[in-house]
Amino acid sequence: MPSGKLDGKVAVVTGGSRGIGAAVATRFAEEGASVVIGYRSGGEEASELAAKLEGSGARCLAVKADVASPEQTSALFDRTVEAFGRMDVLASCAGINHFGGLQELTPEMANQLFGVNTQGQLFAAQQAARHMTAGGRIILTSSNASRRSIFQHTLYAASKAAVEAMVRCLSIELGQRGITINAVAPGATKTDMAAKNAVKYQPPGLGLSAEEWLSLSYALDHVATPAEVAGAYVFLAGDDAGYISGRTLQTESCVF
Ligand SMILES: NC(=O)c1ccc[n+]([C@@H]2O[C@H](COP(=O)([O-])OP(=O)(O)OC[C@H]3O[C@@H](n4cnc5c(N)ncnc54)[C@H](OP(=O)(O)O)[C@@H]3O)[C@@H](O)[C@H]2O)c1
């Protein structure tokens, strides 16, 4: 029986109740990790996934934690160590999307976007690192939107660009302790988030359907599935990525 890439590791996946996070939790469990599935509102989905993964032989736990709350984030990692005795890998997948024109933006919207997508990931990294020893892996989630010009996507794109800056800077501090920190920047991936927003990524006035736009936009022949994107997180969590830090791994090239 071949051994898994993450045998004996303990991993926390925020945003693990749905979409990319659920696929990452599944792949981590298949690779031998014990997995804590963090969720905000999807308690039922998170518990169902935990039960399914446990049924396949993994150790798994669903824990409610809003990453916009540093206290809840801190408690998520305390609970992980209490349950499984150590903390090796963070996959920070929780995120929210936003589109809006400049004159419609409010401080509340900016606080919400940066509170979840940027601060939420910063304090998840901080609290994960508090429990990690040498060999720890922190993987945050950016987006290919961070480097593109997308109509009325300012808050989201900025909140994700900040994540790429954070991993570059934190790689030095965490590197001193033998911990790597990187980000994955997915392109369009078939999840609830994409179903709601994919059509909005085209230039104004083009008028294409989501399917038409996506088929023009991406280098590969189909829109990514969450499982395909999860492979990038498995790579960054595993031994083969032991000397990669401060980097952002984009999952495919974007034609526009
Ligand atoms: N899908 C794409 O095309 C795409 C492209 C680029 C980047 N991304 C990024 O990839 C990540 C996952 O996206 P997705 O498409 O899988 O999104 P999704 O289907 O909308 O799922 C979002 C996940 O984030 C969780 N979440 C949201 N706010 C949270 C909070 N405050 N605290 C804790 N959990 C929270 C949700 O939990 P609950 O359901 O429990 O509320 C859910 O598990 C995000 O960071 C997103 O920005 C996605």
Side-chain angles (χ1 to χ4, degrees), residues 15-21 39-42 65-68 93-96 116 141-144 156 160 186-189 191-194 233:
S17 54
R18 288 185 285 130
I20 292 170
Y39 67 91
R40 175 195 50 177
S41 58
D66 184 337
V67 299
C93 299
I96 52 174
V116 175
T141 303
S142 177
S143 163
N144 73 8
Y156 179 84
K160 293 296 193 173
T189 308
T191 66
D192 296 343
M193 187 182 281
Y233 293 81

Side-chain angles (χ1 to χ4, degrees), residues 38-198:
Y39 67 91
R40 175 195 50 177
S41 58
E44 209 169 302
E45 291 96 329
S47 300
E48 274 170 23
L49 180 58
K52 187 175 140 199
L53 299 179
E54 279 189 314
S56 312
R59 294 193 306 168
C60 210
L61 189 67
V63 176
K64 183 174 167 64
D66 184 337
V67 299
S69 157
E71 293 76 25
Q72 291 185 32
T73 300
S74 173
L76 169 67
F77 293 99
D78 289 345
R79 179 83 187 89
T80 299
V81 174
E82 193 184 287
F84 296 132
R86 52 188 291 133
M87 173 65 214
D88 300 294
V89 180
L90 164 64
S92 163
C93 299
I96 52 174
N97 207 336
H98 183 270
F99 280 83
L102 179 60
Q103 298 307 328
E104 296 149 25
L105 302 182
T106 63
E108 290 72 27
M109 288 174 193
N111 286 338
Q112 190 188 20
L113 260 285
F114 282 93
V116 175
N117 290 355
T118 312
Q119 281 190 198
Q121 301 208 72
L122 174 66
F123 290 111
Q126 180 197 60
Q127 293 305 311
R130 189 163 62 85
H131 293 285
M132 280 177 174
T133 55
R137 298 275 197 273
I138 297 175
I139 308 157
L140 307 187
T141 303
S142 177
S143 163
N144 73 8
S146 68
R147 272 162 273 164
R148 295 165 58 198
S149 300
I150 300 165
F151 185 58
Q152 298 190 336
H153 206 30
T154 312
L155 285 184
Y156 179 84
S159 74
K160 293 296 193 173
V163 170
E164 299 185 16
M166 287 184 335
V167 302
R168 282 193 295 272
C169 294
L170 289 172
S171 65
I172 303 173
E173 194 177 331
L174 293 170
Q176 309 295 311
R177 296 174 47 201
I179 296 167
T180 69
I181 179 163
N182 294 288
V184 174
T189 308
K190 278 191 186 162
T191 66
D192 296 343
M193 187 182 281
K196 235 184 266 170
N197 296 293

